[in-house]
Each structure stands twice: as C-alpha cells, then as structure tokens.
Amino acid sequence: MCPPLVMDRVVGLLKDPVGAKPATKVLLALCLVEGNRCAAVGARAVGEVVELLAGAGLEGGAVERALAVLELLCTVAEGAEEVRGHALAVPVMVEVMGRMSGRAKEYAISVLCVILGGGENTVEPPPEVVVRAVVMALQGDCSARGRRKGAQLLKVLKENGPLDFTEDGRQGTSSIKFDDD
C-alpha cells in the first residue's frame, strides 16, 4: 500500500506542467493496485485528473494514462461519485473522444458509462453531444472493449428515452443495433 503522504505528493504533481506527465505514469502504476485507489481518491486524484485532462498541456500517452487512472478510480464508490459530480467530467470525456483514438476512447467511454450509465446520479436526458460523440467513437478507431462499453452505454441511454441520432451523428432515428432489438 502506498503511504498517504506519497500519494498526496504524486497527485500534487499533476498540477505541475513539468511533473504532470511522469506523475500520470506513477499514479497509474499505483492505481493498478486496488488498495491504492481509495488513497488516490482521498488525495483528490479524481478532480486533479479531470482538471489535467481539461487543460491543454497533456497529449498522447499521458492522456491515455490519465484516462486509465480515472477509469480505475471509478471502481471505488467515492471515486465514481466524485467523477459524477465534477462539472467538467462529461465535456472532457466528449472532447477526448473527439481527438484521441484507440484505448483513450475506450477509457473515456468507460468513464461516461459510470457517469451516465445508471445509478442515482445519472444525467437525464443525456446531452446530445454525448450521444453523438459515443456514436462517432464507435465508428472510428476504438477497441473491441470500447465498442462493447459504448454499445452498452447507448443501450442504457436508449432505455431512458429515444436516441435521436443516426450513426454518423446527424439527427434522425438511430440505426444502431442492440442485443435485444
């Protein structure tokens, strides 16, 4: 287990333009150990990671690592609650899905599943831009896991009301097939 002081220092480095990139590496390594996730949430890592992703300084592999950390932190109830409550979480996930590919999209979709995919604090109805971004991500360079999670998220959103978007993001009736269709 990571001592709280060490976790606080690693999370604190996310605010430093020079230290942010290496801090994402260390934080991901720490959060791979399930027991360290609560310590990371307690050190306010969720908010710091979302804020880091909202800024312009991170790119490439560092963005992917930060998203992976956020996904891991969402496995802790307090982390999931914190990401649901962060005003920038949804816009940042949508923005990341638009500019990144592969696993980064997968992680962003997974975080959106936590925010919008069920539970007490879901956003209803989902912002149109979210539905459009998920549909576009499923069409682009997205991992198989990302496609499954995206289809799962769209299915849950569809259960809460009709999704008025085609696969290419234009308005119309969705032609995405769900398991029960």
Side-chain angles (χ1 to χ4, degrees):
M1 296 289 281
C2 179
L5 180 60
V6 172
M7 186 63 76
D8 287 342
R9 296 265 169 94
V10 171
V11 171
L13 284 173
L14 295 173
K15 296 178 187 179
D16 178 6
V18 175
K21 184 177 178 181
T24 63
K25 290 179 183 180
V26 174
L27 189 56
L28 178 57
L30 290 171
C31 287
L32 288 173
V33 177
E34 190 173 342
N36 288 333
R37 295 175 197 164
C38 286
V41 170
R44 306 182 52 78
V46 171
E48 293 302 330
V49 170
V50 172
E51 299 288 331
L52 179 63
L53 289 167
L58 215 55
E59 55 189 51
V63 171
E64 189 174 302
R65 285 189 299 274
L67 288 165
V69 166
L70 198 55
E71 180 185 34
L72 289 169
L73 295 178
C74 285
T75 65
V76 175
E78 295 84 3
E81 183 179 325
E82 194 172 328
V83 79
R84 282 186 200 105
H86 199 293
L88 291 177
V90 171
V92 166
M93 295 307 109
V94 168
E95 188 272 330
V96 166
M97 286 192 308
R99 70 179 168 94
M100 299 295 290
S101 62
R103 298 202 62 133
K105 284 185 181 183
E106 171 188 323
Y107 298 138
I109 290 170
S110 183
V111 172
L112 283 173
C113 283
V114 170
I115 298 169
L116 302 170
E120 301 169 9
N121 299 326
T122 59
V123 177
E124 291 185 34
E128 294 174 1
V129 68
V130 173
V131 176
R132 187 177 303 120
V134 173
V135 170
M136 296 301 285
L138 294 178
Q139 291 180 319
D141 179 22
C142 191
S143 68
R145 180 176 177 261
R147 290 183 195 286
R148 282 191 310 274
K149 286 221 166 249
Q152 175 187 27
L153 176 58
L154 290 175
K155 182 177 179 180
V156 168
L157 295 176
K158 180 183 174 191
E159 290 170 358
N160 292 328
L163 300 183
D164 194 25
F165 292 90
T166 60
E167 288 180 10
D168 63 1
R170 295 187 310 237
Q171 283 193 311
T173 304
S174 175
S175 60
I176 296 174
K177 300 295 181 209
F178 299 97
D179 293 336
D180 61 347
D181 286 353

